[in-house]
Amino acid sequence: MMRDLATVAIVGAGPAGLVIGHMLQRAGISFVLLERHLQADLARRPKAGLIEYRTVQLLRAAGIADSILEFSAPNHRCEFRTPLESAVLDYSALTGGRPHYIYPQHLLVDRLCETLTEKGADVRFAHSVEVVKQGRDGVMLSGTGEGGVRFQVACEVAVGCDGSRSAVAAAMTGLQVSERRLPVRWLAVIGEAPPLEGHTVYAAHPGGFAGQMRRGPGHARYYLEVPAGDTIADWPQQRIRDELATRLVAPGRLEAVQFSEPMFLDLRVRVIEPLQQGRLFLAGDAAHLLTPAGGKGMNLAIQDAIELARGLIDRFAPDRNGSRLAAYSERRLPVIWRTQAFSGWFLHIILASLHDGDEPGAATPGGFALGLRNGWVRALQDDPLLARWFAHAYAGVDQK
């Protein structure tokens, strides 16, 4: 069995784990990053793609934006559509010219992995952490590496960035887990053609929600609200094409588009409290799950990572100041809950089918919920104070 030592062990090479790795490397703090997937597989996992203005500023201060990640594709507007009307909100104008930036998560992860390994960081792919044990003097992680070789890593601190089934979270006791599963399922596909519009589109239709998210000049990610019992086989290319054209009110505009990488998203939310216990810490999806509404998940994970990395750097600097690290959970949880609140509210804006409660028809498109959704969209158009609040919360800009 292989056994190694490191100051910090990071479990999971998603956006959070990789950002922490970059910041620790710049600070000269030893770490090992353990990722259960192969590096090539990470680059084939399309997910989120909108980076908030606030996140870019934090990455710039951390020395990652501009030097490693180039944010050159802004998104200034979002559009709300129904079969009868369209409302375009220029949220960048309402925030003083502060947009989102388009950077698909799998490309961001690939770039961060590439640069981290080029700099000689200890990143180990195909290493699955199975057991985490915390002791008075450190943490021991054990699992299975490439080729079935067993390994152990001893460290002072372990950070779980390993998703909703985190091995680090499993080693923490007495956690409070607040969780909710929503009666909504989305089908997500990649359109192999330029986006229909040069901005984000949210469409509420009596048949259910549809959305278009830009992923670059030649691709877009599309969402369709679908019945919970559907399978991928129920959604051949032509059905996807027809349903998107109907709900996005885009007749004839998708006929030549090919769709790839279909996957289902079952919407659920979760927050774990606290985010730290002794020498164990959580960030990203290991700490919280959000709906895709508003594009907040990757942003929240990166923001967790930057705050946690700053605490770790202070803790393992020569003066060993652990005050910021000790306050990590206290500092992040209010932000997490505020973001959950916005994402939950926004989900009700874009879904014409979502009801609160368990009454019959809780996920039936149309009806009263459609009227409420139309009411909110009209309020965003007519109330400048509401529009300003939405623009800042959506784009990730602090109001001053």
Side-chain angles (χ1 to χ4, degrees), residues 303-321:
Q303 293 161 20
D304 289 346
I306 291 173
E307 176 59 33
L308 181 52
R310 287 171 174 167
L312 290 168
I313 291 167
D314 287 352
R315 170 65 180 82
F316 294 110
D319 62 355
R320 295 264 170 169
N321 185 343

Side-chain angles (χ1 to χ4, degrees), residues 36 47 105 161-166 176-182 265-273 275 282-293 295-298 300-301 304 333 335-337 339-341 343-344 347:
R36 67 178 180 272
K47 291 186 177 180
Q105 178 173 325
C161 304
D162 47 340
S164 59
R165 298 180 180 178
S166 169
Q176 176 180 318
V177 181
S178 302
E179 193 166 18
R180 185 181 182 191
R181 184 177 293 274
L182 302 173
L265 302 176
D266 292 307
L267 304 193
R268 58 192 179 112
V269 292
R270 184 174 68 180
V271 177
I272 291 178
E273 302 180 66
L275 306 180
L282 304 177
D285 286 355
H288 43 71
L289 294 175
L290 287 84
T291 76
K296 298 296 182 182
M298 176 167 58
L300 200 59
D304 289 346
L333 279 170
V335 178
I336 291 166
W337 279 115
T339 307
Q340 287 279 15
S343 183
L347 195 66

Side-chain angles (χ1 to χ4, degrees), residues 21-261:
H22 272 279
M23 293 180 67
L24 293 182
Q25 186 178 59
R26 284 172 61 90
I29 296 170
S30 69
F31 69 92
V32 58
L33 199 164
L34 304 165
E35 166 56 49
R36 67 178 180 272
H37 294 103
L38 294 170
Q39 183 174 0
D41 293 337
L42 291 178
R44 291 196 297 264
R45 296 166 63 84
K47 291 186 177 180
L50 283 179
I51 308 296
E52 293 179 347
Y53 177 82
R54 179 190 298 120
T55 304
V56 173
Q57 295 299 102
L58 288 169
L59 287 169
R60 183 167 289 123
I64 295 173
D66 301 330
S67 62
I68 298 172
L69 301 175
E70 293 289 337
F71 295 96
S72 57
N75 192 84
H76 298 273
R77 293 174 295 278
C78 63
E79 179 182 357
F80 299 95
R81 286 186 184 178
T82 72
L84 301 178
E85 62 181 346
S86 167
V88 177
L89 185 69
D90 191 336
Y91 61 85
S92 176
L94 292 171
T95 58
R98 296 172 174 88
H100 282 110
Y101 293 90
I102 298 167
Y103 208 128
Q105 178 173 325
H106 65 293
L107 298 181
L108 180 145
V109 165
D110 190 47
R111 177 63 179 153
L112 290 174
C113 277
E114 180 184 28
T115 53
L116 200 57
T117 54
E118 284 176 353
K119 293 176 181 178
D122 189 359
V123 183
R124 306 180 192 181
F125 299 101
H127 276 62
S128 180
V129 175
E130 296 158 2
V131 179
V132 177
K133 292 185 178 181
Q134 177 177 203
R136 180 175 298 178
D137 299 322
V139 182
M140 181 69 72
L141 299 86
S142 58
T144 305
E146 201 164 5
V149 177
R150 299 290 298 172
F151 70 86
Q152 286 186 332
V153 173
C155 57
E156 293 194 47
V157 167
V159 178
C161 304
D162 47 340
S164 59
R165 298 180 180 178
S166 169
V168 178
M172 299 166 69
T173 60
L175 297 178
Q176 176 180 318
V177 181
S178 302
E179 193 166 18
R180 185 181 182 191
R181 184 177 293 274
L182 302 173
V184 178
R185 178 178 247 197
W186 288 358
L187 172 67
V189 294
I190 301 296
E192 306 288 344
L196 293 173
E197 309 293 347
H199 53 255
T200 303
V201 179
Y202 302 104
H205 186 274
F209 165 74
Q212 176 217 265
M213 317 295 157
R214 295 167 61 207
R215 288 296 180 266
H219 298 83
R221 197 178 198 200
Y222 293 96
Y223 293 119
L224 278 170
E225 183 181 358
V226 300
D230 280 11
T231 66
I232 295 296
D234 294 320
W235 287 91
Q237 290 272 321
Q238 194 57 49
R239 187 183 181 191
I240 293 172
R241 191 174 291 116
D242 292 344
E243 203 62 34
L244 282 172
T246 298
R247 298 189 199 181
L248 291 170
V249 196
R253 297 186 61 191
L254 292 164
E255 286 306 314
V257 178
Q258 294 296 310
F259 298 100
S260 63
E261 303 176 39

